[in-house]
Amino acid sequence: MSNFDLNTSRFIINPRYRLQWEAAQNCHVLLYPEGLVQLSGSAAEIMQRCQQATTLDAITKDLQQQFPEADELADDVREFLLEAQAQHWIVAADATN
């Protein structure tokens, strides 16, 4: 299910996960049947943009506009999304239909 080309494919949060603010943890989390994953602020910014089908390029451009002072943002976004893909937090957008 997570076997897609991050560079060219549209992807979305895996429907088995739910992104939400968790006041008790004081951070955004990904909830899933077996538990939760605490997200850093930057990880939450990226995952919020994955709630609708999107691309690596679209997320990077959006974040660069919102945080113009951030250096090497593209590499950090790509690195996080590769990990999210490996953890099955994101899936190909057409896999959710």
Side-chain angles (χ1 to χ4, degrees), residues 22-76:
E22 186 63 46
Q25 306 290 330
N26 197 32
C27 65
H28 280 90
V29 298
L30 281 175
L31 294 175
Y32 60 105
E34 298 83 23
L36 64 83
V37 178
Q38 293 182 338
L39 299 174
S40 67
S42 57
E45 288 286 346
I46 295 168
M47 292 302 289
Q48 286 173 340
R49 287 160 174 80
C50 297
Q51 294 184 91
Q52 302 291 326
T54 191
T55 63
L56 172 62
D57 189 50
I59 291 173
T60 302
K61 285 180 182 177
D62 189 44
L63 288 170
Q64 284 176 328
Q65 287 178 349
Q66 187 171 351
F67 304 103
E69 71 285 354
D71 293 330
E72 299 182 27
L73 188 83
D75 291 339
D76 292 339

Side-chain angles (χ1 to χ4, degrees), residues 72-91:
E72 299 182 27
L73 188 83
D75 291 339
D76 292 339
V77 172
R78 179 169 171 49
E79 182 178 327
F80 174 79
L81 287 171
L82 284 169
E83 181 64 21
Q85 182 182 25
Q87 296 295 329
H88 305 281
W89 300 340
I90 57 173
V91 295

